[in-house]
Amino acid sequence: MVSAISGNNQAVTQTQASSTTTATAATPAKTASPESITSTNKSTRSTEAERYTAVQQNLANSKTAVSAATTANKEIDGQLKQVRDIATKLADEKITGKDREKLQADYTKARDSIIASQDKATVKSGTGNNATKTNLLTDAKNQTVSTNTRGGELEVASSKSAKALGLPEKIGSAADAKALLSADDKKAGSLANAEKTTQDTTARLKKADADVSKRLETASLAAKAAQRLETAKTGNNRTLSADEEEKRNQAIEQAKQAREQIKTQFSGLSQNSGNKNVNSLSALFS
């Protein structure tokens, strides 16, 4: 599944694919030199670093998309209140002439503001050929954040809302205003339907934000824990004293414990997810 939010997935996948190809190539067996071992270790650490960067960046992009949609949706909620107020006045058949024209102009302005808010929910991630735009209010498809080839996926649903939430361009008569004010929230183009869509979006985005925020925080902690463990293991080339060796071993043990705690958190996130395609991000530590 192609991610509409991810900007760093491709680089990670290509790195891993390249490593697989190299490993399967037919080469004469020989004893690895210390230099080649050191180079391999650096390459491994580099791949891990890229993976963690991809995880955090993709989740950060998703967080940005959710935040932009949340802000825009809140604006739309206020604008719909204006539309209801204007439509209620236009439903009065006694209002005619310039008074009706003034209210119609106010309605047009409120409707245009809704469209502008919908557009503001669009965020861009990535650069060059990998650049993508995401709008969780109007996109036709759900957005999937692919963390990497081993880390699983996170799906954030889009509202797929129509332009101006389907509200008509003009309220030509009192009858049109009454139709717009219809209480049928299943009727496309009714104000009740637009309000329900906005309310549903508010609840959905709140849940998505909590999920993305938790995953982003956990991914950041995971990267720090892995880096701490790597640093503790590698140390430096000089001979350590008994006291330094003991402290180093303690640091390694603490880092291992932190890593296990992070793995548990990742597993919990995956188990709580409603998406059957989501794999535990604890795979990052395998």
Side-chain angles (χ1 to χ4, degrees):
M1 187 178 293
V2 177
S3 167
I5 300 178
S6 170
N8 298 305
N9 225 25
Q10 184 176 0
V12 177
T13 304
Q14 290 177 339
T15 300
Q16 293 175 335
S18 176
S19 299
T20 302
T21 303
T22 303
T24 55
T27 55
K30 63 180 180 179
T31 303
S33 65
E35 291 79 7
S36 65
I37 294 176
T38 300
S39 176
T40 300
N41 289 339
K42 288 182 179 180
S43 176
T44 300
R45 288 196 296 272
S46 176
T47 300
E48 290 296 316
E50 290 178 1
R51 186 178 299 137
Y52 287 124
T53 298
V55 171
Q56 292 174 283
Q57 185 59 59
N58 292 334
L59 288 171
N61 289 341
S62 182
K63 171 79 173 176
T64 300
V66 171
S67 296
T70 298
T71 299
N73 192 63
K74 186 175 181 179
E75 292 177 354
I76 291 172
D77 182 62
Q79 290 151 356
L80 286 174
K81 289 181 173 61
Q82 295 178 23
V83 169
R84 177 169 289 281
D85 180 61
I86 296 168
T88 299
K89 293 176 181 178
L90 284 171
D92 185 352
E93 296 180 358
K94 296 179 181 179
I95 296 179
T96 59
K98 292 184 178 180
D99 290 337
R100 181 166 291 278
E101 291 177 4
K102 173 64 169 56
L103 286 172
Q104 173 59 51
D106 291 341
Y107 170 77
T108 299
K109 183 178 180 180
R111 183 179 181 276
D112 289 345
S113 294
I114 291 174
I115 296 174
S117 292
Q118 288 180 314
D119 291 341
K120 282 171 60 177
T122 300
V123 296
K124 181 180 178 181
S125 61
T127 58
N129 295 331
N130 293 324
T132 58
K133 291 183 178 180
T134 304
N135 187 318
L136 295 178
L137 295 184
T138 61
D139 283 337
K141 297 180 179 180
N142 293 349
Q143 306 304 305
T144 300
V145 183
S146 298
T147 55
N148 56 60
T149 56
R150 300 169 59 199
E153 297 176 346
L154 168 66
E155 185 174 86
V156 181
S158 300
S159 294
K160 311 173 188 177
S161 302
K163 182 178 180 181
L165 296 175
L167 298 178
E169 293 185 14
K170 185 178 181 180
I171 302 177
S173 65
D176 290 340
K178 291 176 182 179
L180 178 62
L181 292 169
S182 167
D184 186 358
D185 60 14
K186 294 182 179 179
K187 181 181 177 181
S190 71
L191 183 55
N193 179 272
E195 291 170 336
K196 184 178 185 301
T197 296
T198 302
Q199 292 167 1
D200 291 345
T201 297
T202 297
R204 176 179 59 76
L205 291 175
K206 183 177 180 180
K207 182 178 179 181
D209 183 67
D211 192 11
V212 172
S213 296
K214 187 173 183 180
R215 287 171 182 263
L216 181 57
E217 179 182 9
T218 304
S220 299
L221 291 173
K224 291 178 181 178
Q227 184 176 6
R228 181 181 177 188
L229 179 59
E230 180 64 28
T231 300
K233 282 183 176 181
T234 55
N236 51 48
N237 295 326
R238 71 182 181 83
T239 302
L240 302 177
S241 66
D243 183 56
E244 289 174 326
E245 183 68 28
E246 181 179 356
K247 289 181 179 180
R248 177 173 175 271
N249 291 335
Q250 289 177 352
I252 291 176
E253 184 59 31
Q254 290 174 352
K256 287 181 178 179
Q257 292 176 5
R259 184 180 67 170
E260 290 304 313
Q261 291 175 356
I262 298 300
K263 287 174 66 176
T264 300
Q265 291 185 46
F266 272 131
S267 298
L269 286 174
S270 293
Q271 291 168 4
N272 293 333
S273 174
N275 185 351
K276 294 185 293 185
N277 294 324
V278 175
N279 297 317
S280 173
L281 291 182
S282 61
L284 291 172
F285 297 100
S286 63

